[in-house]
Amino acid sequence: MTSIPDHAETAIRRAMELMRAERTEDFAETVLDLLFNPRAIDSVVLGSRLRQGMRRRLHRLHPEEGAQALASTTRLLVHKKLDTSITPTMPVLVATGEHDHFTTPDLCREVAATCADSWFTTIADADHMVPFERSAEIVDLITRFFTDQPLTGLSYCPDAEHISQELLP
């Protein structure tokens, strides 16, 4: 994303407040609703299982891990916007889960459009935790990208598109 969307920033700040107040269950649910689209959980490969596993992990955070999470999240919030004034000179691949409501497909496509030579796609039946939800597909997509194999016509990312500065308005 070029910046954190308002809806996400509100949820992130709420999660931080809950963590500081040691309201572990409310903190966990706030984070889970940010990372997993509740409206699409049944459409996502491993969605329910990953959410349950993440819930258990969030409930077991050690105080040091909580402090690290707060520090990292604070850095994320302070760094307001991605500087897109200098575009990468190498090809870029931007992908997100089709159901991701945190790093949404529209926001990720905007990032891809800031690059001189990029590919953008969504991963079918996936959410924000796409590397865990569709790991084999991610490995295949990245391998194809780095070995100059076609990224179009793949069943798991039916909307792959090449974006270059010449194509942009």
Side-chain angles (χ1 to χ4, degrees), residues 21-39:
E22 298 181 9
R23 292 177 52 193
T24 308
E25 288 187 28
D26 293 331
F27 162 75
E29 290 307 312
T30 299
V31 170
L32 292 170
D33 286 346
L34 188 61
L35 298 179
F36 296 91
N37 185 337
R39 294 181 311 276

Side-chain angles (χ1 to χ4, degrees), residues 135-154:
S135 56
E137 291 81 358
I138 290 294
V139 169
D140 182 60
L141 182 65
I142 292 169
T143 300
R144 288 172 169 278
F145 178 73
F146 283 118
T147 58
D148 294 321
Q149 295 179 52
L151 302 181
T152 56
L154 304 174

Side-chain angles (χ1 to χ4, degrees), residues 19-142:
M19 180 183 279
R20 285 187 194 103
E22 298 181 9
R23 292 177 52 193
T24 308
E25 288 187 28
D26 293 331
F27 162 75
E29 290 307 312
T30 299
V31 170
L32 292 170
D33 286 346
L34 188 61
L35 298 179
F36 296 91
N37 185 337
R39 294 181 311 276
I41 196 78
D42 294 330
S43 301
V44 173
V45 174
L46 301 176
S48 295
R49 288 181 54 196
L50 284 169
R51 187 178 172 110
Q52 290 171 350
M54 181 68 84
R55 179 180 289 114
R56 282 191 301 274
R57 181 65 183 103
L58 290 170
H59 280 282
R60 295 179 186 157
L61 282 182
H62 294 290
E64 300 84 24
E65 293 173 309
Q68 290 171 344
L70 285 171
S72 297
T73 304
T74 299
R75 280 193 301 277
L76 179 68
L77 291 171
V78 168
H79 179 75
K80 288 289 188 188
K81 190 165 175 65
L82 179 68
D83 181 6
T84 59
S85 64
I86 301 173
T87 62
T89 57
M90 73 291 290
V92 173
L93 172 63
V94 179
T96 190
E98 72 172 323
H99 299 293
D100 193 332
H101 71 156
F102 180 47
T103 53
T104 66
D106 288 344
L107 293 172
C108 291
R109 190 179 188 290
E110 283 179 28
V111 170
T114 68
C115 302
D117 181 13
S118 66
W119 280 87
F120 168 75
T121 192
T122 58
I123 309 299
D125 305 321
D127 198 348
H128 187 69
M129 305 298 280
V130 68
F132 302 104
E133 297 156 351
R134 304 293 306 261
S135 56
E137 291 81 358
I138 290 294
V139 169
D140 182 60
L141 182 65
I142 292 169

Side-chain angles (χ1 to χ4, degrees), residues 1 4-12 34 101-104 107:
M1 299 181 296
I4 298 171
D6 291 339
H7 79 277
E9 184 170 343
T10 300
I12 290 168
L34 188 61
H101 71 156
F102 180 47
T103 53
T104 66
L107 293 172

